[in-house]
């Protein structure tokens, strides 16, 4: 079984040079996922000079580890959004997301991008009579949001259903192939792309300056297309980071289900889809088992639960790929897209939940319109500075109580182990040495990797992620390698290393 996403095998490797000079552009974009690359395309196409700085490789963040579904509804359900806001808001959400899917299709057709894009139905399925009322509520909200929706008593799945909500004309693609191909078309057309160019500090002002290790970019506008914006911002108090798991399996029969299929299950749903690879192999993907980042021990077991779920419903032959990734839920369930405040030249795009291939595209559309001075019909709905404390309150209190609990958990500090000698190969544990908190990982060759356990973002203590072999911050979702390098999340600085001589 491969421990990576199924998309990677079908996407061309990208080879953009790192930034090694100082540049001056109209717009600097941090992050080369679907948000950053789409924004790069739209802005360069409109005549702006653009630089995209990507820490890893294009599509190497969450975009390349998603499930490649594009749909107008939302993970949190439209009827819940309607109850928090109103019918106009869900109308805007459905219309803006439909426009973003069309944007993806236009780009694909315009550049003849080969990424298995196809229109397909979306289904929300209930397996029990109990869940049928949830389905009915979502159906009603879909109609009020202007979507053409249907209720069926059958669906193309090999298990019993009580009802299914169906929306035609949604879409699926290989997200990694898409962003990598789009990047090749925009490179050099007013847009310069740099890989392995991590932004290590940001100076906001007029102009803004982004620094990487070997060069800087001075820009009138900067876009944080990093999934969670970098540095300390008020918006981090409004975001809940969640990790989720995916399996890609082969079936004994050739009966792979068509379309995007979400099956209601408490407390969340499972999402399945079929992917046909370039070599013609079919895979059934399943996504689920979400939990707060850094707050689940023994998280390898999430894959076992996913597999058990699949095996009770499909005739599974083998599991071929598995991967995990994270997303960020917004306090009021609407993403934060746009300038930090009405006069700011710093733009953010975050809080997409697991709906961000569409929201990321929409963010690129809204932000590029804002920069170009074009009126966008949806910019107000998603503005980061919108004030709706009542709508935000529920999850804001829950997420911040959760963050606060993470801080309290460490007072007084309880390290996982007292001595590093008790850590066996493959294991990561926290340890206290001379009053300081460390994260210690012993690799398979018994070498110890010792770094500070204090997150460089807001000083929470990181926890071991046994599945991804990383140190994850349970407060705002920053993740670090065993040697302390930032992988993702709001942190900018790495966790400092500690000498491993004379340890307890
Ligand atoms: C398991 C899973 C499945 C999902 N499936 C779907 C789906 O089917 N449909 C859907 O709509 N959404 C889905 N989502 C959500 C969606 O994948 C994300 O919301 C979306 O990919 C976010 O795109 P992005 O470009 O904003 O961020 P990313 O793709 O994460 O890109 C951000 C980039 O910024 C780079 N970066 C970070 N820090 C720096 C730095 N300091 N300097 C330079 N670069 C930096 C990263 O390396 C990364 O490449 C899923 C999410 C998960 C977790």
């Amino acid at each position: 079984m491969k421990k990576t996403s199924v998309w990677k095998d079908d996407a061309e490797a990208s080879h953009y040079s790192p930034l090694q000079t100082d540049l001056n552009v109209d717009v600097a974009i941090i992050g080369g996922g679907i948000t950053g690359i789409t924004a790069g395309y739209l802005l360069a196409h409109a005549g702006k000079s653009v630089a995209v700085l990507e820490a890893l490789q294009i599509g190497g963040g969450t975009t390349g580890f998603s499930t490649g579904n594009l749909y107008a509804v939302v993970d949190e359900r439209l009827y819940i959004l309607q109850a928090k806001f109103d019918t106009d808001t869900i109308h805007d959400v459905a219309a803006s997301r439909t426009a973003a899917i069309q944007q993806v299709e236009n780009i694909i057709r315009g550049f003849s991008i080969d990424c298995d894009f196809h229109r397909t139905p979306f289904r929300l399925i209930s397996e029990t009579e109990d869940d049928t009322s949830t389905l009915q509520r979502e159906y009603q909200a879909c109609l009020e949001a202007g979507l053409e929706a249907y209720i069926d008593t059958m669906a193309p799945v090999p298990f019993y259903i009580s009802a299914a909500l169906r929306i035609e004309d949604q879409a699926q693609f290989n997200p990694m192939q898409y962003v990598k191909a789009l990047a090749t078309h925009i490179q050099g057309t007013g847009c310069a792309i740099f890989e392995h160019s991590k932004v290590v500090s940001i100076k906001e002002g007029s102009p803004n300056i982004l620094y990487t290790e070997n060069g800087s970019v001075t820009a009138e506008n900067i876009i944080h297309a990093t999934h969670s914006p970098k540095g300390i911002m008020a918006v981090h108090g409004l975001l809940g980071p969640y990790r989720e798991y995916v399996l890609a399996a082969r079936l004994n029969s050739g009966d792979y289900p068509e379309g995007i299929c979400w099956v209601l299950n408490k407390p969340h749903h499972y999402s399945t889809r079929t992917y046909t690879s370039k070599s013609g192999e079919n895979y059934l993907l399943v996504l689920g088992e979400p939990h707060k980042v850094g707050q689940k021990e023994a998280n390898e077991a999430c894959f076992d639960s996913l597999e058990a779920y699949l095996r009770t419903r499909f005739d599974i032959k083998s599991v071929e790929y598995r991967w995990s990734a994270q997303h960020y839920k917004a306090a009021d369930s609407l993403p934060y897209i746009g300038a930090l405040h009405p006069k700011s030249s710093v733009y953010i795009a975050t809080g997409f939940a697991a709906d961000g291939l569409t929201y990321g595209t929409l963010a690129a559309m809204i932000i590029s319109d804002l920069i170009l001075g074009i009126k966008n019909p949806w910019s107000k709905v998603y503005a980061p500075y919108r004030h709706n404390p009542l709508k935000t309150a529920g999850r804001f209190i829950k997420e911040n109580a959760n963050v606060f609990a993470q801080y309290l958990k460490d007072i007084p500090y309880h390290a996982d182990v007292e001595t590093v000698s008790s850590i066996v190969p493959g294991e990561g544990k926290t340890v206290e040495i001379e009053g300081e908190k460390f994260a210690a990982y012993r690799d398979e060759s018994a070498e110890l990797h010792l770094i500070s356990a204090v997150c460089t973002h807001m000083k929470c203590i990181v926890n071991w992620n046994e599945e991804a072999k990383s140190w994850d911050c349970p407060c705002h979702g920053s993740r670090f390698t065993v040697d302390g390098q930032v992988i993702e999340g709001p942190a900018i600085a790495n966790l400092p290393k500690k000498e491993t001589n004379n340890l307890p």
Side-chain angles (χ1 to χ4, degrees):
M1 186 209 300
K2 293 189 184 174
K3 293 186 180 177
T4 186
S5 85
V6 71
W7 315 121
K8 278 185 120 175
D9 284 352
D10 279 347
E12 299 282 329
S14 49
H15 302 285
Y16 300 95
S17 315
L19 180 71
Q20 272 165 337
T21 180
D22 296 331
L23 284 183
N24 204 319
V25 291
D26 295 327
V27 187
I29 300 175
I30 320 173
I34 196 162
T35 307
I37 293 299
T38 313
Y41 159 64
L42 293 172
L43 287 160
H45 188 67
K48 292 282 178 196
S49 59
V50 181
V52 177
L53 301 173
E54 166 53 50
L56 309 167
Q57 286 189 304
I58 298 305
T62 314
T63 298
F65 292 85
S66 66
T67 38
N69 292 317
L70 302 165
Y71 42 84
V73 292
V74 290
D75 192 41
E76 289 262 321
R77 313 270 176 269
L78 286 177
Y79 77 86
I80 292 177
L81 266 186
Q82 188 178 25
K84 276 189 190 171
F85 292 86
D86 48 30
T87 302
D88 284 351
T89 303
I90 58 167
H91 206 279
D92 282 341
V93 168
S96 60
R97 288 177 58 80
T98 300
I101 299 170
Q102 190 56 53
Q103 175 72 271
V104 173
E105 180 166 10
N106 293 347
I107 289 173
I108 289 169
R109 303 244 175 274
F111 289 117
S112 302
I113 293 175
D114 175 14
C115 60
D116 193 38
F117 178 91
H118 53 276
R119 292 283 181 170
T120 195
F122 164 91
R123 287 186 179 83
L124 179 67
I125 289 177
S126 61
E127 291 184 291
T128 64
E129 305 306 327
D130 276 2
D131 282 334
T132 311
S133 59
T134 305
L135 207 95
Q136 285 292 347
R137 271 188 275 176
E138 187 65 349
Y139 167 64
Q140 196 54 40
C142 283
L143 297 181
E144 288 174 33
L147 294 168
E148 208 175 305
Y150 305 89
I151 290 283
D152 301 327
T153 50
M154 286 168 46
V157 288
F159 51 86
Y160 171 80
I161 71 158
S162 62
L165 157 69
R166 173 169 51 87
I167 305 169
E168 290 292 333
D169 229 16
Q170 306 303 289
Q172 294 177 321
F173 68 157
N174 177 331
M176 197 174 247
Q177 257 180 330
Y178 171 71
V179 283
K180 280 193 187 280
L182 180 57
T184 62
H185 288 289
I186 63 173
Q187 167 76 337
T189 60
C191 180
I193 298 174
F194 301 94
E195 289 186 325
H196 307 291
S197 300
K198 187 188 280 187
V199 171
V200 290
S201 79
I202 301 171
K203 186 182 149 293
E204 282 176 22
S206 190
N208 305 286
I209 309 178
L210 302 181
Y211 297 92
T212 68
E213 270 173 14
N214 299 311
S216 68
V217 181
T218 302
E220 218 171 289
N221 302 283
I222 52 178
I223 305 177
H224 288 251
T226 45
H227 209 191
S228 171
K230 302 308 266 185
I232 298 181
M233 292 187 190
V235 75
H236 293 122
L238 299 167
L239 294 172
Y242 287 80
R243 206 145 183 89
E244 227 169 315
Y245 299 80
V246 187
L247 294 180
R250 312 240 20 234
L251 301 182
N252 280 313
S253 72
D255 216 3
Y256 286 83
E258 148 218 46
I260 304 163
C261 181
W262 290 0
V263 181
L264 288 168
N265 204 296
K266 291 190 178 63
H268 204 68
H269 63 251
Y270 288 92
S271 162
T272 58
R273 66 160 288 185
T274 297
Y275 172 61
T276 306
S277 72
K278 261 187 173 171
S279 58
E281 299 284 8
N282 281 321
Y283 297 96
L284 176 67
L285 272 55
V286 61
L287 163 73
E289 301 297 323
H291 63 78
K292 284 295 294 277
V293 172
Q295 296 187 28
K296 190 167 182 87
E297 283 180 25
N299 60 339
E300 288 251 358
C302 294
F303 289 120
D304 300 336
S305 310
L306 270 186
E307 187 169 343
Y309 172 84
L310 269 191
R311 286 193 184 278
T312 53
R313 286 163 181 79
F314 296 91
D315 187 12
I316 301 296
K317 181 178 174 194
S318 56
V319 176
E320 301 288 337
Y321 293 81
R322 67 174 224 194
W323 68 91
S324 64
Q326 75 189 42
H327 55 79
Y328 302 84
K329 290 190 187 187
D332 62 4
S333 310
L334 282 178
Y336 302 100
I337 298 171
L340 281 179
H341 58 81
K343 295 221 161 96
S344 176
S345 57
V346 177
Y347 297 83
I348 61 168
T350 190
F352 299 157
D355 307 319
L357 296 174
T358 301
Y359 270 142
T361 305
L362 178 63
M365 292 158 68
I366 291 176
I367 293 173
S368 55
D369 278 356
L370 290 172
I371 290 175
L372 295 166
I374 298 170
K375 196 168 163 45
N376 184 290
W378 305 296
S379 57
K380 276 203 181 132
V381 180
Y382 301 108
Y385 49 84
R386 63 184 181 258
H387 294 297
N388 42 27
L390 282 178
K391 291 161 183 99
T392 307
R395 187 174 289 147
F396 176 78
I397 292 168
K398 192 173 135 219
E399 294 295 355
N400 284 285
N402 177 286
V403 167
F404 193 53
Q406 299 308 311
Y407 284 113
L408 285 185
K409 198 166 60 68
D410 295 316
I411 307 170
Y413 181 61
H414 295 292
D416 296 332
V417 290
E418 287 185 1
T419 61
V420 293
S421 54
S422 62
I423 303 172
V424 301
E427 225 178 29
K429 299 277 181 196
T430 55
V431 59
E432 189 166 348
I433 305 167
E434 294 166 355
E436 280 188 69
K437 294 146 188 143
F438 291 97
Y441 168 67
R442 196 175 294 285
D443 66 24
E444 298 301 340
S445 58
E447 191 190 331
L448 193 69
H449 301 248
L450 196 61
I451 53 179
S452 165
V454 184
C455 179
T456 54
H457 177 231
M458 287 181 77
K459 303 206 178 317
C460 241
I461 301 300
V462 295
N463 287 331
W464 179 237
N465 175 338
E466 71 164 22
E467 182 272 317
K469 298 262 182 283
S470 61
W471 292 102
D472 297 2
C473 177
C475 290
H476 302 102
S478 295
R479 296 181 55 238
F480 303 85
T481 66
V482 294
D483 290 317
Q485 300 278 323
V486 178
I487 301 171
E488 64 183 312
I492 297 186
N494 297 331
L495 294 174
K497 283 191 188 180
K498 162 126 180 109
E499 285 306 314
T500 52
N501 302 326
N502 305 323
L503 294 174

